[in-house]
Amino acid sequence: MSSLSTESTPRERLDRAISVLGRVRMYWRGMAAMIAVGLSISLALALATKRVWRSEATILYRETIQTGRDPQSSTARAARLGPKLKDALIARGTLAGVIEAFGLYPEKTARSMVEAVEEMKSHVGFRAQSSDTYVISFTHDDPRVAQQVAARLTQILIDDYRRDSLGAATMTRDFLRRELAEASAKVDEASRALATFLAKNPQFQWGLNDSPYAPAPQPLGSPGAPAPAAARASPPARPMDPQLAALERQLARVEALLGVARSPAAAPGQPLPPSVVDAQRARDAAAAALVSAETALAEKLSTVTPIHPDAIAAKRRVEAARSQLAAAESALGLVRAGLTEVPRGEAGELTPARRAALSAERSALLRQIAGLRARAGGGRAAAGGESRRALEAAGGEARRAPAGPDGDAEERVIELETEWHRLRLDLERAREYLKAVQANERAADLSADAAENKSETELDVLDPAYLPSRPDRGRGRVFFAGAAVTFFFALGVAGARVLLNDTLYDGGDIHALGGPALLAAMPELPPQPPLRERAIVPAYGAAPAAAHEDGGVRPSEPAGPAPGQPGLAEPGQPGFAGPGQPGFAEGEEDTLPDGLELEGDAGPRSPWSAPEPASSAAEEAWSAAEPASGAPGGPLACVGPRHLAYAGGAGFREPEVEILGADVDPDGCGVFELLRGAPASALAALRVLRHRLDQRRGGEPLTVAVVSPGRAEGKTAVAARLAMTLAEAERARVLLVEGHLARPRVAATLGLRLPAHASFSEQLRRRMAGEARPLGVIALSPSLSVLAEPSLEASYPAALHSIHFEAAMRALRRYYDYVVLDGPPVLGSGDANVIEDACDGVLVVARASVTRASSLARAVEQLGERRILGVVLNDVAARPVARKRIEVEEPAT
């Protein structure tokens, strides 16, 4: 069989929450008091409150001309405008002017204008109604003043916004105009710098193929060496001197021959492109093919090794592209030299002598051209400088011809190219900035003109301020608002009291502690009057010997009158139970008082007989014991189905327990009146508790102590009803023992008037004095007995701490199936710990609506969980109630 889950379900948690919330009703008196006070205060405030009127005006934000200055949408711009308008509306200067104009708040204005402004701020309202509409409101005790002030505030806000918009537009326009002038000046400066560079370097031009060195530098004296700018420059206008033109053509032919010699891809007799533009395009195409081949080679090498066939093929394509590029560059040089095909017989590899001769011829031509230009230029500084540069370049090249390329020429080309690109970039940036400033300046002009004409963005009154017809805050609203606050406050206080209260009300609170398990929950029983006090019918024989004050023993006195004498209950008199009456079994009518016989008689036996030992081991212990000196020689023992012999007879043993008398109630049910009228739920809880104790007993005698954390928790009533339930239908022999000797309540709860010699503490005291007598008990029914104190004060309360108390509990355990002790409160003394040591188990009784969780936790901690059987929650009400703890425990609850 599967075990049940201990986790709570959502329904159980919901029920638990509802149960806890229901406890708010316990504090209805306090809630009623707080609600009454709150309603009184609300009524007083409502009567003292003046009526307040509210007037509102709606303004519309619209944009009529789109200038494009703001990239945000109109909705976002309007949402951003809301806080700005609100700040302008509640500005101190604006409100102060309105206060002075309408004479508002004269009392506060007389003290300080700051106080009046703060007061008006609380009456001015501003909110965004939609994306482009705003509402301005003002409250006042005069509706006309509220309307006029709302209209004035609206007009002030619109005028301020228009004035601010016009000022901002004008300032923006003036600023952008200054920016435009500065941008134009920067463009002029960049243009002048570029023109100056072009004038100094005529080989550069504006347009297609701007740089004479693009796309790649031209060779000069050796493969890969750039040529001087003066030697390769293509001036915009050729000189008019025919000799100079012939020399230049001859120089171009020599340079072409040197270039063709460095390019093995040029074949003799091969036709060249018809023009320089075509040759340049062919060269660019070859360069693009080389870049593509190199990119493909890099991609292949990222995935395969260099010896892979695909990588080798890609390398071959790169080499072929390089050869084609070299051929295209050679063809471009020949076309620029004025040739239409590659000269025959001069291509291929030149011998060193032939190369030296061509180089010398080239240097001579350069000198001649420089001299002619110097003579033809005369005073032209640019031509003179150019001729000097040409001469220096030619001389340097002649000196360094065998050594290799011209390093200074390369540096010069790099400097020229860098300066050229920088000047062009400055000019382009200046022009772009100028365009942006021009666009902004045009938009600013448009915005400024629109603001001046009130046609760009403006605030218009959509709904003017109206005259209010109903008060915004009247007396009724104040009262209802105060009432709502009062109700919520009262509920909050009650809820806080519930959450902070640790009093136990139901089983859920026991489970929430996580301590001992809840064994049973006793419902609240209806109130009933105390049991009628009844005298005990004594057994025949002498009373136990009483000790003299000097320590001696005086002779025993009879325990009760003889039959027929006063004091003994006769049939038909009070105190005698006849046949069929509660408390008597079948055949009882002949047992008391005439049924009490001496041992050895064969007459009928009484059910009010002393119990027999529970085992043979107990009989061996009794046989070893000897009667104490001074004990009466012939006390009568009750005769019954299970009887004991009395001491003094030959071969008989001294009993450990004897019956001193019986409770006979012919007019009622005796002690069982406590269960009369109990609801079925209470009987069910007691029987469930009995079932749990039967499981714990397991067929062996069990001693159970009933304790409580404090006083007035009903443990005595629970112990008495538990003992009656255990003895129900004579299913077990049960003894109810008074264990709270400091405040005994068992006899008073059961309505018994016990004789003095039946006192439990007195019997323990006689044993402490050395007197050995059986423990005397009072029979309440055939299966239920009691051992209690005659009065509300024990004769000797300290007897609880003697070793004779534990010995007495062991002796009683041998004669009864259940020994139920009405124990003391746990907190405040150590008596409960003494009871715990002498018992097999402890039941902790907690009273609902009285016991606190902290008290129960401390009581469990003091006892320890070694022998605690569980918790019995007593007096559980159908609805949580608030009870007050009383000092004296109520016996009948």
Side-chain angles (χ1 to χ4, degrees):
M1 180 178 178
S2 60
S3 60
L4 296 177
S5 175
T6 58
E7 297 182 359
S8 59
T9 62
R11 179 58 181 272
E12 292 174 348
R13 290 194 290 268
L14 178 61
D15 294 341
R16 177 62 180 166
I18 295 175
S19 175
V20 173
L21 291 177
R23 299 177 186 177
V24 175
R25 292 176 296 183
M26 296 188 302
Y27 306 104
W28 68 270
R29 293 183 178 86
M31 293 175 57
M34 286 187 289
I35 290 174
V37 173
L39 292 179
S40 301
I41 296 175
S42 301
L43 181 59
L45 291 177
L47 295 177
T49 301
K50 295 182 179 180
R51 292 183 177 182
V52 176
W53 307 81
R54 178 189 298 270
S55 180
E56 294 182 350
T58 304
I59 58 177
L60 173 66
Y61 170 84
R62 63 180 182 178
E63 183 173 328
T64 58
I65 299 178
Q66 300 291 336
T67 60
R69 290 185 294 108
D70 196 348
Q72 294 183 352
S73 63
S74 59
T75 303
R77 187 164 54 252
R80 184 185 60 186
L81 183 63
K84 178 181 177 181
L85 294 177
K86 183 178 180 180
D87 294 340
L89 179 65
I90 62 175
R92 182 177 301 173
T94 302
L95 298 183
V98 175
I99 291 173
E100 292 177 355
F102 289 92
L104 302 177
Y105 317 113
E107 296 179 358
K108 293 189 176 182
T109 305
R111 292 195 300 267
S112 173
M113 179 59 70
V114 176
E115 295 184 8
V117 169
E118 294 298 327
E119 179 68 18
M120 188 173 181
K121 283 183 179 180
S122 62
H123 297 158
V124 175
F126 182 88
R127 71 178 187 276
Q129 191 172 7
S130 62
S131 61
D132 54 357
T133 57
Y134 304 93
V135 177
I136 300 174
S137 62
F138 180 72
T139 57
H140 196 264
D141 53 3
D142 188 350
R144 294 190 177 276
V145 174
Q147 179 190 15
Q148 296 173 2
V149 172
R152 176 64 65 86
L153 290 175
T154 304
Q155 189 62 36
I156 291 175
L157 183 62
I158 293 176
D159 294 342
D160 290 345
Y161 176 77
R162 290 176 178 175
R163 183 170 54 255
D164 293 342
S165 299
L166 178 60
T170 304
M171 291 176 59
T172 303
R173 180 183 61 184
D174 296 342
F175 173 76
L176 289 178
R177 284 180 179 177
R178 291 193 297 270
E179 288 291 324
L180 180 61
E182 294 178 1
S184 300
K186 289 182 180 179
V187 171
D188 295 341
E189 183 179 355
S191 299
R192 184 178 298 278
L194 181 60
T196 303
F197 178 81
L198 292 176
K200 292 182 180 179
N201 301 278
Q203 66 271 24
F204 292 89
Q205 59 182 346
W206 190 265
L208 182 65
N209 300 326
D210 296 333
S211 173
Y213 310 106
Q218 297 295 328
L220 179 60
S222 60
R232 296 172 43 201
S234 298
R238 291 190 174 273
M240 299 302 296
D241 190 357
Q243 185 179 1
L244 181 59
L247 291 176
E248 288 181 351
R249 285 194 298 271
Q250 188 176 0
L251 176 62
R253 180 178 178 277
V254 172
E255 289 182 348
L257 291 176
L258 290 175
V260 171
R262 293 193 301 268
S263 178
Q270 181 180 0
L272 298 176
S275 63
V276 177
V277 175
D278 294 337
Q280 182 66 36
R281 291 177 180 175
R283 186 262 173 197
D284 294 340
L290 176 61
V291 172
S292 177
E294 290 177 348
T295 304
L297 176 61
E299 292 178 356
K300 290 293 182 182
L301 292 178
S302 63
T303 58
V304 298
T305 59
I307 62 176
H308 195 273
D310 293 343
I312 294 175
K315 290 180 181 179
R316 291 176 180 174
R317 286 193 291 271
V318 171
E319 293 175 357
R322 288 176 180 173
S323 300
Q324 292 178 2
L325 178 61
E329 290 178 349
S330 299
L332 178 62
L334 293 175
V335 170
R336 286 180 175 178
L339 301 178
T340 59
E341 63 180 9
V342 180
R344 296 180 179 274
E346 295 181 355
E349 293 292 336
L350 296 179
T351 61
R354 179 60 177 168
R355 184 182 299 278
L358 290 174
S359 299
E361 184 180 359
R362 179 176 178 277
S363 299
L365 291 173
L366 288 174
R367 287 194 296 272
Q368 292 177 9
I369 291 173
L372 290 176
R373 287 181 176 178
R375 290 193 299 270
R380 295 176 59 185
E386 185 71 21
S387 62
R388 286 193 299 272
R389 288 195 295 271
L391 289 174
E392 291 174 0
E397 184 177 343
R399 290 190 299 270
R400 294 189 298 271
D406 190 356
D408 294 339
E410 289 185 0
E411 292 294 332
R412 177 61 181 169
V413 169
I414 293 172
E415 291 179 1
L416 290 175
E417 287 283 353
T418 303
E419 183 68 15
W420 162 245
H421 287 291
R422 184 185 65 79
L423 293 175
R424 290 189 60 184
L425 183 60
D426 291 343
L427 180 59
E428 292 176 358
R429 289 177 177 176
R431 287 179 175 178
E432 291 177 358
Y433 180 69
L434 177 61
K435 292 179 180 179
V437 173
Q438 287 175 347
N440 293 335
E441 194 270 340
R442 285 195 297 270
D445 286 341
L446 186 61
S447 299
D449 294 339
E452 291 176 356
N453 298 328
K454 301 180 181 179
S455 58
E456 182 202 11
T457 57
E458 58 180 346
L459 294 177
D460 290 335
V461 178
L462 184 62
D463 291 330
Y466 58 87
L467 181 64
S469 59
R470 292 183 179 180
D472 181 69
R473 187 176 68 243
R475 298 174 179 178
R477 292 188 179 184
V478 173
F479 176 76
F480 286 118
V485 172
T486 299
F487 277 108
F488 282 112
F489 179 76
L491 289 176
V493 171
R497 294 181 65 181
V498 170
L499 295 178
L500 297 177
N501 187 10
D502 65 340
T503 304
L504 303 175
Y505 293 98
D506 52 22
D509 297 331
I510 302 294
H511 293 303
L513 291 178
L518 177 65
L519 298 181
M522 287 291 297
E524 184 180 13
L525 300 179
Q528 57 184 6
L531 297 182
R532 179 174 50 85
E533 189 177 14
R534 303 173 307 281
I536 299 302
V537 178
Y540 287 95
H548 289 284
E549 296 179 358
D550 56 358
V553 179
R554 62 185 182 183
S556 300
E557 298 179 355
Q565 295 179 355
L568 180 62
E570 297 288 346
Q573 296 180 358
F576 186 85
Q581 295 181 355
F584 250 69
E586 290 295 332
E588 288 183 3
E589 62 274 10
D590 298 331
T591 58
L592 282 178
D594 296 334
L596 294 174
E597 301 177 358
L598 294 176
E599 185 176 352
D601 293 342
R605 298 182 177 180
S606 170
W608 309 98
S609 58
E612 296 179 354
S615 63
S616 60
E619 296 179 358
E620 296 176 0
W622 299 337
S623 61
E626 296 182 357
S629 59
L636 293 177
C638 295
V639 184
R642 300 186 301 269
H643 65 277
L644 290 178
Y646 60 88
F652 294 95
R653 293 164 294 181
E654 177 74 17
E656 291 185 300
V657 179
E658 65 177 359
I659 294 180
L660 299 179
D663 175 28
V664 180
D665 186 8
D667 297 334
C669 297
V671 297
F672 290 91
E673 286 286 346
L674 288 176
L675 294 180
R676 173 179 290 184
S681 57
L683 298 177
L686 290 172
R687 287 166 182 166
V688 169
L689 183 58
R690 180 185 67 190
H691 172 69
R692 295 183 182 274
L693 294 180
D694 286 342
Q695 289 180 332
R696 178 62 181 266
R697 183 169 71 93
E700 296 293 332
L702 183 66
T703 304
V704 180
V706 181
V707 299
S708 62
R711 298 178 181 177
E713 298 185 7
K715 60 178 179 57
T716 301
V718 171
R721 292 188 176 98
L722 175 61
M724 297 174 192
T725 306
L726 293 173
E728 186 179 13
E730 301 185 10
R731 57 183 294 125
R733 293 174 296 178
V734 183
L735 176 63
L736 178 61
V737 181
E738 177 69 76
H740 189 193
L741 299 182
R743 298 174 64 89
R745 290 293 183 273
V746 172
T749 301
L750 299 179
L752 301 178
R753 187 169 67 248
L754 301 180
H757 61 272
S759 171
F760 183 32
S761 62
E762 183 63 28
Q763 295 183 56
L764 292 178
R765 184 174 184 180
R766 288 199 298 265
R767 289 196 171 200
M768 293 170 61
E771 179 182 352
R773 283 189 59 85
L775 291 172
V777 299
I778 303 299
L780 303 180
S781 74
S783 57
L784 178 61
S785 302
V786 66
L787 181 56
E789 294 293 322
S791 63
L792 299 179
E793 297 292 338
S795 301
Y796 189 60
L800 181 68
H801 301 277
S802 66
I803 60 175
H804 295 279
F805 173 76
E806 297 183 3
M809 296 307 301
R810 289 194 297 268
L812 295 173
R813 190 176 184 274
R814 287 192 290 267
Y815 281 88
Y816 291 93
D817 298 323
Y818 285 101
V819 178
V820 180
L821 277 83
D822 177 29
V826 179
L827 302 178
S829 68
D831 295 349
N833 297 90
V834 177
I835 296 292
E836 177 193 14
D837 293 338
C839 297
D840 300 324
V842 177
L843 291 177
V844 182
V845 176
R847 187 180 180 188
S849 304
V850 173
T851 305
R852 296 187 177 274
S854 57
S855 300
L856 179 59
R858 287 188 287 113
V860 172
E861 183 180 358
Q862 179 176 335
L863 293 177
E865 298 185 0
R866 179 169 56 95
R867 293 184 180 177
I868 294 180
L869 302 178
V871 179
V872 177
L873 188 60
N874 183 34
D875 208 9
V876 179
R879 293 182 177 180
V881 295
R883 297 191 179 101
K884 295 183 179 180
R885 181 182 295 274
I886 57 178
E887 294 296 331
V888 180
E889 184 175 358
E890 299 177 2
T893 58

